[in-house]
PDB file of all heavy atoms in Angstrom:
ATOM      1  N   GLU O  99      22.502 -14.507 -14.737  1.00 96.00           N
ATOM      2  CA  GLU O  99      22.577 -15.961 -14.866  1.00 96.00           C
ATOM      3  C   GLU O  99      21.659 -16.640 -13.852  1.00 96.00           C
ATOM      4  O   GLU O  99      21.132 -17.719 -14.101  1.00 96.00           O
ATOM      5  CB  GLU O  99      24.022 -16.436 -14.635  1.00 96.00           C
ATOM      6  CG  GLU O  99      24.162 -17.942 -14.790  1.00 96.00           C
ATOM      7  CD  GLU O  99      25.518 -18.480 -14.391  1.00 96.00           C
ATOM      8  OE1 GLU O  99      26.275 -17.793 -13.699  1.00 96.00           O
ATOM      9  OE2 GLU O  99      25.812 -19.619 -14.776  1.00 96.00           O
ATOM     10  N   ASP O 118      26.940 -12.052 -14.943  1.00 98.00           N
ATOM     11  CA  ASP O 118      27.211 -13.359 -14.338  1.00 98.00           C
ATOM     12  C   ASP O 118      27.788 -12.980 -12.976  1.00 98.00           C
ATOM     13  O   ASP O 118      28.959 -12.613 -12.868  1.00 98.00           O
ATOM     14  CB  ASP O 118      28.240 -14.115 -15.190  1.00 98.00           C
ATOM     15  CG  ASP O 118      28.599 -15.463 -14.582  1.00 98.00           C
ATOM     16  OD1 ASP O 118      28.170 -15.745 -13.447  1.00 98.00           O
ATOM     17  OD2 ASP O 118      29.325 -16.221 -15.246  1.00 98.00           O
ATOM     18  N   LEU O 120      28.637 -14.486 -10.242  1.00 96.00           N
ATOM     19  CA  LEU O 120      29.777 -15.257  -9.735  1.00 96.00           C
ATOM     20  C   LEU O 120      30.147 -16.267 -10.810  1.00 96.00           C
ATOM     21  O   LEU O 120      29.359 -17.161 -11.118  1.00 96.00           O
ATOM     22  CB  LEU O 120      29.365 -15.970  -8.440  1.00 96.00           C
ATOM     23  CG  LEU O 120      30.359 -16.051  -7.290  1.00 96.00           C
ATOM     24  CD1 LEU O 120      31.509 -16.958  -7.658  1.00 96.00           C
ATOM     25  CD2 LEU O 120      30.898 -14.679  -6.883  1.00 96.00           C
ATOM     26  N   ASP O 121      31.287 -16.064 -11.414  1.00 97.00           N
ATOM     27  CA  ASP O 121      31.739 -16.965 -12.474  1.00 97.00           C
ATOM     28  C   ASP O 121      32.825 -17.886 -11.927  1.00 97.00           C
ATOM     29  O   ASP O 121      33.737 -17.433 -11.238  1.00 97.00           O
ATOM     30  CB  ASP O 121      32.288 -16.141 -13.646  1.00 97.00           C
ATOM     31  CG  ASP O 121      32.935 -17.021 -14.685  1.00 97.00           C
ATOM     32  OD1 ASP O 121      32.208 -17.790 -15.341  1.00 97.00           O
ATOM     33  OD2 ASP O 121      34.168 -16.977 -14.819  1.00 97.00           O
ATOM     34  N   GLY O 122      32.688 -19.177 -12.242  1.00 96.00           N
ATOM     35  CA  GLY O 122      33.666 -20.154 -11.773  1.00 96.00           C
ATOM     36  C   GLY O 122      33.242 -20.774 -10.456  1.00 96.00           C
ATOM     37  O   GLY O 122      34.068 -21.095  -9.603  1.00 96.00           O
ATOM     38  N   SER O 123      31.919 -20.952 -10.313  1.00 90.00           N
ATOM     39  CA  SER O 123      31.368 -21.427  -9.026  1.00 90.00           C
ATOM     40  C   SER O 123      32.032 -22.697  -8.506  1.00 90.00           C
ATOM     41  O   SER O 123      32.158 -22.873  -7.303  1.00 90.00           O
ATOM     42  CB  SER O 123      29.884 -21.731  -9.140  1.00 90.00           C
ATOM     43  OG  SER O 123      29.249 -20.813  -9.929  1.00 90.00           O
ATOM     44  N   ILE O 135      31.124 -10.985 -14.196  1.00 98.00           N
ATOM     45  CA  ILE O 135      31.202 -10.443 -15.565  1.00 98.00           C
ATOM     46  C   ILE O 135      29.983  -9.553 -15.797  1.00 98.00           C
ATOM     47  O   ILE O 135      28.875  -9.913 -15.370  1.00 98.00           O
ATOM     48  CB  ILE O 135      31.201 -11.589 -16.603  1.00 98.00           C
ATOM     49  CG1 ILE O 135      32.282 -12.629 -16.286  1.00 98.00           C
ATOM     50  CG2 ILE O 135      31.392 -11.044 -18.022  1.00 98.00           C
ATOM     51  CD1 ILE O 135      32.235 -13.877 -17.177  1.00 98.00           C
ATOM     52  N   LEU O 245      36.172 -18.884 -16.177  1.00 98.00           N
ATOM     53  CA  LEU O 245      36.371 -18.167 -17.437  1.00 98.00           C
ATOM     54  C   LEU O 245      37.101 -16.844 -17.230  1.00 98.00           C
ATOM     55  O   LEU O 245      38.025 -16.514 -17.973  1.00 98.00           O
ATOM     56  CB  LEU O 245      35.000 -17.941 -18.090  1.00 98.00           C
ATOM     57  CG  LEU O 245      34.936 -17.072 -19.323  1.00 98.00           C
ATOM     58  CD1 LEU O 245      35.749 -17.656 -20.451  1.00 98.00           C
ATOM     59  CD2 LEU O 245      33.474 -16.899 -19.760  1.00 98.00           C
ATOM     60  N   LEU O 272      28.987 -21.838 -22.621  1.00 98.00           N
ATOM     61  CA  LEU O 272      29.005 -20.459 -22.126  1.00 98.00           C
ATOM     62  C   LEU O 272      27.847 -19.640 -22.665  1.00 98.00           C
ATOM     63  O   LEU O 272      27.352 -19.882 -23.765  1.00 98.00           O
ATOM     64  CB  LEU O 272      30.338 -19.807 -22.463  1.00 98.00           C
ATOM     65  CG  LEU O 272      31.545 -20.525 -21.848  1.00 98.00           C
ATOM     66  CD1 LEU O 272      32.835 -19.873 -22.307  1.00 98.00           C
ATOM     67  CD2 LEU O 272      31.465 -20.534 -20.327  1.00 98.00           C
ATOM     68  N   ARG O 273      27.443 -18.670 -21.879  1.00 98.00           N
ATOM     69  CA  ARG O 273      26.283 -17.860 -22.193  1.00 98.00           C
ATOM     70  C   ARG O 273      26.691 -16.577 -22.912  1.00 98.00           C
ATOM     71  O   ARG O 273      27.596 -15.856 -22.475  1.00 98.00           O
ATOM     72  CB  ARG O 273      25.511 -17.522 -20.917  1.00 98.00           C
ATOM     73  CG  ARG O 273      24.538 -18.586 -20.466  1.00 98.00           C
ATOM     74  CD  ARG O 273      25.108 -19.954 -20.156  1.00 98.00           C
ATOM     75  NE  ARG O 273      26.143 -19.982 -19.134  1.00 98.00           N
ATOM     76  CZ  ARG O 273      25.964 -20.430 -17.898  1.00 98.00           C
ATOM     77  NH1 ARG O 273      24.815 -20.906 -17.531  1.00 98.00           N
ATOM     78  NH2 ARG O 273      26.959 -20.449 -17.040  1.00 98.00           N
ATOM     79  N   TYR O 276      25.839 -12.841 -20.878  1.00 98.00           N
ATOM     80  CA  TYR O 276      26.521 -12.367 -19.658  1.00 98.00           C
ATOM     81  C   TYR O 276      27.870 -13.033 -19.427  1.00 98.00           C
ATOM     82  O   TYR O 276      28.411 -12.931 -18.339  1.00 98.00           O
ATOM     83  CB  TYR O 276      25.602 -12.488 -18.428  1.00 98.00           C
ATOM     84  CG  TYR O 276      24.801 -13.771 -18.358  1.00 98.00           C
ATOM     85  CD1 TYR O 276      25.375 -14.928 -17.871  1.00 98.00           C
ATOM     86  CD2 TYR O 276      23.479 -13.818 -18.804  1.00 98.00           C
ATOM     87  CE1 TYR O 276      24.651 -16.102 -17.813  1.00 98.00           C
ATOM     88  CE2 TYR O 276      22.746 -14.985 -18.748  1.00 98.00           C
ATOM     89  CZ  TYR O 276      23.344 -16.132 -18.251  1.00 98.00           C
ATOM     90  OH  TYR O 276      22.629 -17.291 -18.204  1.00 98.00           O
ATOM     91  N   GLU O 277      28.375 -13.749 -20.432  1.00 98.00           N
ATOM     92  CA  GLU O 277      29.745 -14.237 -20.323  1.00 98.00           C
ATOM     93  C   GLU O 277      30.546 -13.805 -21.565  1.00 98.00           C
ATOM     94  O   GLU O 277      31.541 -13.093 -21.459  1.00 98.00           O
ATOM     95  CB  GLU O 277      29.776 -15.778 -20.157  1.00 98.00           C
ATOM     96  CG  GLU O 277      29.260 -16.206 -18.781  1.00 98.00           C
ATOM     97  CD  GLU O 277      29.296 -17.702 -18.529  1.00 98.00           C
ATOM     98  OE1 GLU O 277      28.953 -18.486 -19.432  1.00 98.00           O
ATOM     99  OE2 GLU O 277      29.636 -18.101 -17.408  1.00 98.00           O
TER     100      GLU O 277
HETATM  101 MN1   MN W   2      30.127 -18.109 -15.632  1.00 53.22          MN
END
Side-chain angles (χ1 to χ4, degrees):
E99 181 188 17
D118 178 352
L120 219 291
D121 172 68
S123 321
I135 308 173
L245 173 62
L272 300 176
R273 276 60 58 106
Y276 42 82
E277 289 182 318

